[in-house]
Amino acid sequence: MKTTKKYWVSSQEAIPPQTRIILNEYLLSLKLANKAEVTVSKYRSILEKFLMECSISIDDLTSDDVLNWLKLY
């Protein structure tokens, strides 16, 4: 699955810029840890969906918020 797009970079504009910076740092860490491209892409997709739907500020986000969202999906 070779692509020319940087699969470890989210450019989703619906995610607040500061949150997107944090997301991209995390995705880069996965790439640098030699995770498979398909793994990083899947994580990016799921996290983008969560962060676009989440109405809670990244500063106030808790693990329970994430767990509750995951239970819906």
Side-chain angles (χ1 to χ4, degrees):
M1 183 174 143
K2 293 293 177 190
T3 60
T4 57
K5 180 182 179 231
K6 292 181 179 179
Y7 62 92
W8 65 92
V9 176
S10 173
S11 58
Q12 183 54 254
E13 293 185 13
I15 299 172
Q18 188 61 34
T19 302
R20 199 168 55 244
I21 289 169
I22 294 167
L23 171 60
N24 285 329
E25 287 175 0
Y26 174 68
L27 295 171
L28 178 60
S29 76
L30 294 176
K31 179 188 180 297
L32 294 175
N34 293 318
K35 300 298 181 189
E37 180 177 338
V38 69
T39 300
V40 178
S41 295
K42 185 67 171 178
Y43 278 38
R44 188 193 73 238
S45 174
I46 293 168
L47 288 167
E48 284 175 338
K49 183 172 174 63
F50 171 75
L51 292 169
M52 286 188 297
E53 294 178 4
C54 182
S55 60
I56 302 167
S57 159
I58 194 79
D59 294 325
D60 299 324
L61 194 61
T62 68
S63 57
D64 284 337
D65 298 323
V66 177
L67 182 59
N68 290 332
W69 182 84
L70 284 171
K71 286 180 183 177
L72 297 173
Y73 297 92

